[in-house]
Every structure is written in structure tokens, then in C-alpha cells.
Amino acid sequence: MRAVRCWCGELIVSDDDGALARELAAHAREAHPDDERGEDEIREHIAATAEDAPDRPPWAY
Ligand SMILES: [Zn+2]
């Protein structure tokens, strides 16, 4: 599992970076449609900040 935080702080978790990019893009369209970030920026954001999600992530408690 891979995890990335949206620039708004929302945590997105998915199977791999490709799925993460799709989910972050979908979240961004829904949560902040006025945001100007494009697909390339989303991919860069994931490349720079995505992490492997542990089995028992800190946010699960
Ligand atoms: Zn967001």
C-alpha cells in the first residue's frame, strides 16, 4: 500500500503510485475543484511525498 497526503492534508491510500495519482486527482476535483494543479503536478507531488503505508498506520488509532 502507498499513502500520500493531499496538499490540503487529506490522506489518500492506494495500492500503488498509479492508483494513488488517480485517487488524488479524483479527490482534488471533488474537494477543491478551483485548484489549478494538473496531472503532472499531482504525479510530482506523489513522487516527492508518497510513502509505503505500514500495516498498522498511525492514523488507524
Ligand atoms: Zn485535498
Side-chain angles (χ1 to χ4, degrees):
M1 294 294 280
R2 297 280 286 165
V4 70
R5 263 187 208 284
C6 179
W7 45 90
C8 73
E10 179 84 8
L11 186 72
I12 314 282
V13 181
S14 204
D15 290 336
D16 55 48
D17 286 7
L20 216 47
R22 282 195 300 277
E23 292 204 15
L24 180 53
H27 156 82
R29 269 198 307 275
E30 201 170 295
H32 16 91
D34 294 339
D35 202 283
E36 296 292 311
R37 285 174 182 78
E39 232 176 86
D40 289 349
E41 279 151 301
I42 285 173
R43 265 199 292 273
E44 271 173 35
H45 180 72
I46 286 168
T49 64
E51 299 179 339
D52 290 320
D55 287 343
R56 296 173 67 202
W59 57 84
Y61 294 98

